[in-house]
Amino acid sequence: MSQPKRKSVYKVDFAKEFQGIKKGKEDYHAHCIPCKDEINLAAMGKTAIKQHQEKPKHKENAKAVATTRYFTASKGVQVRLLDMESLPGEDSTMVANFIIQVLGKHQLQFENLVSFCADNAPVNFGGPQLAGPNNVFKKLQEKKKNLIPVGCSAHILHNAAQKAADRVPVDIEAIVFKLASYFKGSTRRHEDFKDICNFLEVNYETIPSHGPTRWLTLGKVIDRVLKLWDPLTTLFTSKDKSPRILEEFFSSDESLPVLQFLHSVLAVFEKPLLLLQEFYTTVIEYIDKWFRVEFLPTNISWIMLSKKSVDYYDIVEMAG
């Protein structure tokens, strides 16, 4: 009797080999970011990714875009779209060749290229350590040794806030997503909540949505939840068959201090993130604004935070 065939699983190198691919929900799934599709690798391994990237849907969704950012004395920083093309395979070699071809097409000298700017995907830079030869930056660097890698600073700052938030006792993103799921598409639930707000004399407002890659939305959602804290607590602690995660969250004495703490700290990140998303800001302006007093928090002792170990509850007390 033959043994069952072993299932192929996702490998970290797939993200370096294929643009827009990350680990899926299961070990034997890959996730296509442009298409928002799960790709089953169990039977064919990475061949399934190649086949997916040949589909018309993926070719329509996955387009390589080349822009140039330059400076002139008369107009300052300028950004121009050079080209946009569908790259079915989207591996690092294809993307690097696309950039080289686009520069040549517009008669832009490669030796004048100062930096390569892209998101922080492994296929672009090979990870935080710029490791390995199979990424776009390394392939471009073969043509110009002093090329400067520029990843997405806003994404890095977002990750810093997110990783720090993961250390608090409550998974706030799970709560936020569950809240959105509870109210989504239910007029009856909105009306019930509106009645509670009216009874408690609190202005009814909807809770904005939050996406894990939308850097400024979590703070806005927390701000709204704090404004509606009493009505939400009444709703989920008095209603039969409330989602357990929400009932436990709004019943806990720890939840409100955690929210207030995160609300205070996330505000520290908001101004730098908005600055990093400005279109025409130069590096010099970034540095100048970054170190201004207006970006430094006034409610946290940085002397204390400089210690190697700071207790969470000490920070809550300072943030309060």
Side-chain angles (χ1 to χ4, degrees):
M1 183 176 178
S2 61
Q3 293 183 344
K5 189 176 179 180
R6 186 177 179 181
K7 291 182 178 180
S8 296
V9 297
Y10 178 85
K11 297 179 180 178
V12 176
D13 287 344
F14 290 170
K16 300 178 182 179
E17 187 173 351
F18 301 101
Q19 179 85 359
I21 292 295
K22 66 178 184 178
K23 187 179 183 298
K25 295 179 180 178
E26 306 288 344
D27 288 341
Y28 50 89
H29 280 173
H31 182 79
C32 177
I33 297 172
C35 300
K36 300 180 180 178
D37 285 345
E38 291 286 303
I39 305 170
N40 193 324
L41 308 173
M44 295 187 293
K46 71 177 183 180
T47 302
I49 300 176
K50 294 178 180 178
Q51 289 185 356
H52 170 81
Q53 293 186 333
E54 289 295 331
K55 293 179 179 179
K57 175 185 175 181
H58 180 81
K59 291 181 180 180
E60 179 63 27
N61 290 334
K63 294 184 182 295
V65 178
T67 62
T68 182
R69 182 181 174 94
Y70 60 94
F71 178 85
T72 67
S74 59
K75 296 183 179 180
V77 176
Q78 298 292 301
V79 179
R80 294 289 184 270
L81 173 66
L82 294 179
D83 208 340
M84 182 169 62
E85 184 178 321
S86 176
L87 299 179
E90 291 188 286
D91 60 23
S92 57
T93 301
M94 292 182 68
V95 176
N97 288 339
F98 167 69
I99 293 171
I100 294 168
Q101 291 168 7
V102 169
L103 291 176
K105 175 182 175 181
H106 292 275
Q107 299 181 345
L108 298 172
Q109 300 298 318
F110 194 91
E111 55 266 26
N112 292 336
L113 186 64
V114 175
S115 63
F116 168 61
C117 308
D119 64 37
N120 303 323
V123 72
N124 288 327
F125 293 106
Q129 305 302 321
L130 304 178
N134 294 322
N135 59 77
V136 178
F137 172 70
K138 288 295 185 181
K139 293 183 184 301
L140 294 177
Q141 198 178 38
E142 291 174 1
K143 293 179 64 67
K144 186 176 182 182
K145 297 297 183 183
N146 61 345
L147 191 66
I148 300 171
V150 179
C152 179
S153 301
H155 196 185
I156 294 171
L157 198 56
H158 162 77
N159 285 346
Q162 186 179 50
K163 295 297 182 184
D166 285 344
R167 301 299 299 169
V168 300
V170 176
D171 185 350
I172 191 60
E173 284 197 297
I175 298 298
V176 164
F177 288 133
K178 192 63 179 179
L179 272 173
S181 173
Y182 179 83
F183 286 107
K184 184 178 180 180
S186 176
T187 304
R188 175 64 182 273
R189 287 177 175 176
H190 278 284
E191 291 300 320
D192 289 345
F193 183 54
K194 190 180 295 185
D195 289 341
I196 294 173
C197 289
N198 290 335
F199 178 76
L200 295 176
E201 298 182 344
V202 175
N203 289 331
Y204 166 79
E205 296 180 83
T206 58
I207 297 174
S209 59
H210 165 64
T213 59
R214 294 166 63 189
W215 302 306
L216 299 178
T217 57
L218 183 58
K220 293 177 180 178
V221 177
I222 291 176
D223 181 69
R224 185 66 53 82
V225 171
L226 286 173
K227 289 180 180 178
L228 299 171
W229 181 260
D230 289 341
L232 287 170
T233 300
T234 301
L235 174 66
F236 292 114
T237 57
S238 62
K239 185 177 178 63
D240 291 337
K241 297 182 180 179
S242 291
R244 177 174 293 181
I245 185 174
L246 296 179
E247 181 181 355
E248 292 177 351
F249 175 76
F250 285 101
S251 299
S252 172
D253 293 335
E254 195 174 53
S255 298
L256 183 56
V258 168
L259 271 187
Q260 291 170 332
F261 165 70
L262 288 174
H263 183 258
S264 177
V265 172
L266 287 175
V268 175
F269 288 83
E270 186 169 356
K271 284 186 179 179
L273 283 169
L274 287 171
L275 172 66
L276 289 168
Q277 293 179 67
E278 289 182 5
F279 210 53
Y280 295 104
T281 307
T282 65
V283 172
I284 303 301
E285 290 170 318
Y286 281 140
I287 295 172
D288 177 56
K289 292 181 179 180
W290 192 275
F291 290 101
R292 286 186 183 178
V293 176
E294 64 187 84
F295 278 175
L296 297 178
T298 57
N299 55 348
I300 294 179
S301 167
W302 288 102
I303 296 176
M304 184 172 184
L305 288 179
S306 66
K307 296 192 306 182
K308 290 184 178 179
S309 177
V310 180
D311 185 81
Y312 161 76
Y313 294 100
D314 290 338
I315 301 177
V316 172
E317 184 177 349
M318 287 188 290

